Amino acid sequence: MEIFDLTLIWAGIIGFGVIMYVLMDGFDLGVGILFPFAPDEDSRDVMMNSVAPIWDGNETWLVLGGAGLLAAFPVVYSVFLPALYIGVFLMLAGLIFRGIAFEFRFKSHRNRHWWNRAFCWGSTVAAFAQGAVVGAYIQGFAVEDFVYVGGALDWLTPFTVLTGLGLVAGYALLGVTWLIMKTEGHIQEWAYRLAPRLLIAVLAVFAIISLWTPFVDEAVRERWFGHLYLIWIFPVLALLCAYWLWRSVQARREGQPFIATLGVFVFTYLGLVVSKWPVIVPPNYTLWDVASAPESQLFLLLGMLFVIPIVLAYTAWSYWVFRGKVRVGEGYH
């Protein structure tokens, strides 16, 4: 019973860390994806200044989730890394380019256009790689005796390309609703005009993936059509949030579109979790199959009980300090 309880607690911690990263780093990746489409260079200054004070703190959740996964479920690492090595490398390379662009764009005048490109392409590649990894998780891995036996590019399929593009569109939607909340004037109007188009793109990809997934994973198909009363509530709630987003954009609300977009992501994520639960290394290995020793889980859990409140407090404080609108000529830099 002790192992069961600790495993579930760690699954909750890692799941919380993953969704916090997706929500909080997703919108600043989205801002980078939108960079080439901004109305002018002043708009790009405002866009970058809207996320510059908080982007590095947002990525804390990636580190926390990754470290927790290694500690509590080491077998997941031994399978995922060889299976997804190229995808993970692309994600990290994109994050590095994006981070460098944050620091150098405002210090360079002659080569600023190159840093604009680095910010955009770094954000887009990182978002695509994350979406492709999610698609690879849905379709499963070739595993024998807890060892990955597939090829280095098995993760790259038409399905994972679609999930990668879907997350790019989703992050762009998060980014544009963030800009609605944080900007004003012609930048905000541009964001208002762009938000419905991105919402339509996200819903289209969401529909295609939903139709495709039952053909990719037989277990998901059986669960979807065997437990309709439980699982289908999450896509319904996600669609309700999408409708709320549409109406709030039409009504020119400022904060509601961003909150509604967060809801779309949360309920889509919960739908994925419920569809695969309790499998963590698909198609066959559950949380308890790949969990570390209970002594290790308990020791590291005590550390997490101190770290998570500190990260939450730091995050809340940074967002509070840098609350309000970002205007041309003002900002973190």
Side-chain angles (χ1 to χ4, degrees):
M1 182 62 67
E2 181 181 6
I3 297 177
F4 177 84
D5 290 339
L6 287 174
T7 299
L8 283 182
I9 291 170
W10 269 106
I13 290 173
I14 294 169
F16 177 71
V18 169
I19 190 59
M20 286 296 289
Y21 170 75
V22 168
L23 297 179
M24 307 192 75
D25 205 36
F27 69 79
D28 61 57
L29 284 170
V31 169
I33 293 167
L34 296 170
F35 227 52
F37 309 103
D40 48 50
E41 197 65 18
D42 285 340
S43 300
R44 294 186 182 92
D45 290 343
V46 171
M47 291 167 67
M48 183 169 278
N49 274 324
S50 73
V51 295
I54 53 178
W55 73 273
D56 47 353
N58 293 342
E59 291 190 343
T60 303
W61 295 102
L62 179 63
V63 177
L64 186 146
L69 188 66
L70 176 61
F73 304 103
V75 176
V76 175
Y77 259 75
S78 68
V79 172
F80 280 23
L81 282 186
L84 303 170
Y85 182 82
I86 296 176
V88 172
F89 171 79
L90 290 173
M91 181 189 73
L92 295 177
L95 293 176
I96 290 170
F97 272 94
R98 193 268 304 258
I100 293 172
F102 264 116
E103 301 303 327
F104 283 94
R105 180 180 176 275
F106 284 99
K107 298 177 174 63
S108 175
H109 298 285
R110 185 175 58 183
N111 297 316
R112 176 170 288 194
H113 60 285
W114 288 111
W115 297 117
N116 287 343
R117 292 186 177 94
F119 186 52
C120 171
W121 285 104
S123 301
T124 303
V125 169
F128 175 82
Q130 290 175 19
V133 166
V134 172
Y137 170 73
I138 293 173
Q139 68 184 12
F141 305 96
V143 182
E144 294 180 5
D145 297 325
F146 301 97
V147 176
Y148 178 68
V149 295
L153 290 175
D154 285 3
W155 62 275
L156 188 61
T157 66
F159 181 76
T160 62
V161 170
L162 180 63
T163 57
L165 294 175
L167 195 60
V168 170
Y171 280 172
L173 182 62
L174 266 176
V176 82
T177 54
W178 168 261
L179 293 174
I180 288 173
M181 184 172 63
K182 295 292 289 184
T183 64
E184 58 187 12
H186 75 287
I187 307 173
Q188 188 183 61
E189 284 301 315
W190 165 74
Y192 274 127
R193 292 193 302 270
L194 191 58
R197 303 174 191 175
L198 288 171
L199 177 60
I200 292 172
V202 169
L203 291 177
V205 175
F206 178 82
I208 296 172
I209 292 175
S210 298
L211 293 173
W212 199 339
T213 298
F215 297 97
V216 172
D217 190 329
E218 182 178 349
V220 169
R221 180 172 68 249
E222 293 176 357
R223 179 165 295 187
W224 278 14
F225 297 103
H227 303 277
L228 296 178
Y229 61 93
L230 174 64
I231 291 178
W232 288 92
I233 189 174
F234 295 113
V236 169
L237 290 173
L239 289 174
L240 287 175
C241 287
Y243 177 72
W244 178 24
L245 167 59
W246 181 276
R247 291 298 301 270
S248 60
V249 168
Q250 298 302 314
R252 289 301 193 261
R253 309 295 184 191
E254 293 193 338
Q256 291 183 25
F258 183 67
I259 297 173
T261 308
L262 295 180
V264 172
F265 271 81
V266 168
F267 291 122
T268 302
Y269 175 74
L270 290 175
L272 173 62
V273 170
V274 173
S275 297
K276 303 292 285 189
W277 181 267
V279 173
I280 193 172
V281 181
N284 298 318
Y285 295 105
T286 67
L287 293 164
W288 297 275
D289 293 329
V290 299
S292 60
E295 296 81 5
S296 299
Q297 290 184 337
L298 180 60
F299 176 76
L300 293 163
L301 180 61
L302 296 176
M304 281 291 185
L305 293 178
F306 290 96
V307 171
I308 292 178
I310 292 173
V311 175
L312 286 171
Y314 161 80
T315 301
W317 177 250
S318 63
Y319 277 80
W320 174 256
V321 169
F322 294 102
R323 67 192 183 278
K325 297 288 187 179
V326 180
R327 298 175 176 88
V328 176
E330 302 176 358
Y332 176 68
H333 286 82

